[in-house]
Amino acid sequence: MLPDDPVSAAEDLIAGGRAAEAAALLDRCIAENRGGLLLRLRLKDALAAAGDDAAALAVARETALLHPQAAAAASGLGEALRASGHLPVAIGEFQRALRLDPELFAARVELGASWLDAGEAEKALDVWRAIPVQNAPPELRAMIAEAERTCAAPRSDPRYVRHLFDQFSDDYDLRMLGRLAYRAPVILREFATLLGLSGTERHAILDLGCGTGLMGEAAKDWAKRLDGVDLSPQMIEKARARAIYDELHVADISAWLEQRGQNYDLIFAADTIVYIGDLASLFSAVQTHLNECGSFLFTTESKQDEGFELGPKRRWRHSESYLCSEAGRSGLRVTGLMACTLRTEAGEPVAGFAVALAKITSPRPCVG
C-alpha cells in the first residue's frame, strides 16, 4: 500500500540514504496516476541521489513538458542538465524559471552556480547580487568567495577555457583559419625553422593547448613522438580524428606538466599562453620537461611597457620585458623573439609575439 503522503515518505528515504527505494516508491505513485508536479520533482531528486543522472534528466524533461508554466519544473530541469554537464541549456532553463518567477531564489542560486561551473565568475556574482540576504542559503557564501578568488586570479579560469572551446569545437578550424585568419601554428613552424631548431632528426614534440590539432599538423613531419594536451574534451576528439598524435590528454596544461615525467625536444604552445597571465609556474614546469637541447616555442598577444594584462576579449597580453625576465627566473633563456600578427579580430590585426626559450644550462640550441 502506498503511504498517504508519498512525497514526505520519499524525502525521508532520501535523507536516510535510501534514494533507490524513494525512486521506486514515487514510480509506483506515477503508475497509479498519483504523480503531480512536486512528486515528479522529488522523483528527479531521488534518481539523482541514487546516482542515475540519465534517468533523473529524463524525468526532469518530462516534468517540464507536462508543466511548461511552472518555474519549479524549469528549475528542476536546469538542475538535471547541470548535473549531466549540459551547462548552456541548464543556464537557459534557470533563466526561463526566473522569467516565470523572479523570486524563485533557489533557481537564482543554481543559475549563478552554473555560470561559475562555466568559469564565468563575474556573471555568477551578478546573478547572486539579486538574492536578498534573508533568502541566501548557507552554501552561497562559500560560492561567492570562490567566484571572487576566480576573478582575482592571474589566469583565466580553466572551466571558462574548457566551456569556451567545447562550444567552438565543431567549427573551430573554419572559424579560425577562415574568418579570423589565424596563423600561430604556421608562424611557430617558420620561426623554429628560422632559428635552426627543426634540424634533420626527428624530435619528441609536445603540443600544449593542442585544440583540434592545427599545431600538431604543422609540426608532424618533425616528430618521432607527438603528444597533445588540452582542457576541452571536444577539441581533443577533433585532434584525435587527425590520427597524428601518439597520446592525447584532457587536462589543464600546468597541472599535467607537474604530474608527468616525459621530456621533449620541442614544446609548442600556439594561442595557449593568452589564457594565462602569470607565467611563472608554467615556465618552471616547461623547463623541467625540456631535454638538454630542447626549446619551448609559443605565441602570445603583446603588451606595451611592463608586465601582463587581461585584454577586453578576456585574453592575456604580455610585454617583451616580462617574458624575458620571467623566463630567466624560471631557468630559461630567450633564443628568439619577434613581433607578429596572430590573427584578425573584427577585421583588425591582433599584435603578438612569437617566442623561443631554451634551458639556461644549454650552451646553445642543438641542431640535429
Side-chain angles (χ1 to χ4, degrees):
M1 179 180 291
L2 294 173
D4 292 335
D5 187 354
V7 171
S8 294
E11 289 172 345
D12 290 342
L13 287 169
I14 294 170
R18 299 159 64 188
E21 293 179 46
L25 167 64
L26 297 171
D27 264 332
R28 292 201 306 274
C29 292
I30 291 174
E32 295 186 15
N33 294 316
R34 294 181 58 182
L37 171 60
L38 184 57
L39 187 144
R40 289 177 179 275
L41 290 173
R42 289 301 166 270
L43 175 57
K44 182 268 298 180
D45 294 339
L47 290 166
D52 194 343
D53 288 340
L57 179 54
V59 168
R61 288 190 191 279
E62 183 180 32
T63 303
L65 288 171
L66 291 170
H67 303 275
Q69 297 304 310
S75 184
L77 178 54
E79 291 170 9
L81 288 164
R82 180 187 171 210
S84 299
H86 303 297
L87 287 178
V89 279
I91 287 167
E93 286 301 316
F94 290 128
Q95 291 171 331
R96 185 168 73 87
L98 290 169
R99 287 195 296 271
L100 292 167
D101 182 0
E103 295 188 359
L104 185 60
F105 297 115
R108 197 169 294 278
V109 171
E110 288 288 328
L111 175 58
S114 298
W115 279 124
L116 188 57
D117 286 347
E120 299 277 8
E122 291 182 0
K123 291 183 179 179
L125 291 170
D126 286 343
V127 168
W128 289 331
R129 288 188 186 103
I131 301 176
V133 173
Q134 66 271 20
N135 297 107
E139 65 270 18
L140 183 57
R141 179 175 296 180
M143 289 194 290
I144 288 173
E146 180 187 352
E148 289 174 341
R149 287 193 300 271
T150 298
C151 289
R155 61 165 293 172
S156 300
D157 189 325
R159 294 170 294 186
Y160 163 74
V161 179
R162 180 176 63 248
H163 180 62
L164 176 70
F165 286 100
D166 274 350
Q167 287 184 296
F168 288 159
S169 61
D170 284 344
D171 67 345
Y172 179 83
D173 289 5
L174 179 64
R175 179 194 297 263
M176 294 298 288
L177 298 177
R179 281 174 279 176
L180 300 182
Y182 172 62
R183 297 190 65 251
V186 173
I187 289 170
L188 288 181
R189 180 185 171 92
E190 292 176 350
F191 194 39
T193 302
L194 180 67
L195 294 172
L197 299 177
S198 57
T200 58
E201 297 181 0
R202 294 295 183 102
H203 306 287
I205 298 176
L206 175 62
D207 186 0
L208 290 177
C210 63
T212 62
L214 293 175
M215 185 68 242
E217 193 72 45
K220 66 181 181 181
D221 59 316
W222 293 349
K224 64 180 179 184
R225 177 181 182 85
L226 178 59
D227 295 337
V229 187
D230 198 275
L231 268 170
S232 165
Q234 294 186 39
M235 296 286 272
I236 284 285
E237 287 309 305
K238 297 290 184 181
R240 197 181 309 282
R242 293 181 187 272
I244 60 173
Y245 290 91
D246 293 282
E247 287 188 9
L248 286 165
H249 302 270
V250 179
D252 174 80
I253 60 172
S254 296
W256 187 86
L257 286 168
E258 290 173 2
Q259 296 167 3
R260 300 286 289 191
Q262 175 79 31
N263 279 10
Y264 296 91
D265 304 310
L266 294 173
I267 298 178
F268 290 103
D271 207 43
T272 300
I273 303 301
V274 293
Y275 296 104
I276 304 173
D278 185 348
L279 298 175
S281 61
L282 177 66
F283 279 3
S284 294
V286 164
Q287 195 267 357
T288 65
H289 287 274
L290 281 174
N291 285 326
E292 186 63 23
C293 293
S295 291
F296 176 38
L297 294 101
F298 63 89
T299 59
T300 187
E301 294 186 11
S302 56
K303 177 187 181 300
Q304 300 299 315
D305 303 320
E306 305 292 325
F308 57 88
E309 66 182 6
L310 187 62
K313 297 296 183 180
R314 298 183 66 176
R315 295 161 62 89
W316 294 89
R317 300 165 173 166
H318 301 91
S319 70
E320 180 176 349
S321 61
Y322 172 80
L323 294 169
C324 294
S325 61
E326 199 57 63
R329 279 192 286 269
S330 302
L332 298 165
R333 62 188 176 89
V334 179
T335 56
L337 188 150
M338 71 174 187
C340 57
T341 297
L342 302 175
R343 67 181 197 290
T344 61
E345 188 79 55
E348 295 296 321
V350 175
F353 295 122
V355 185
L357 306 179
K359 284 189 176 184
I360 287 177
T361 54
S362 301
R364 60 182 176 82
C366 301
V367 180

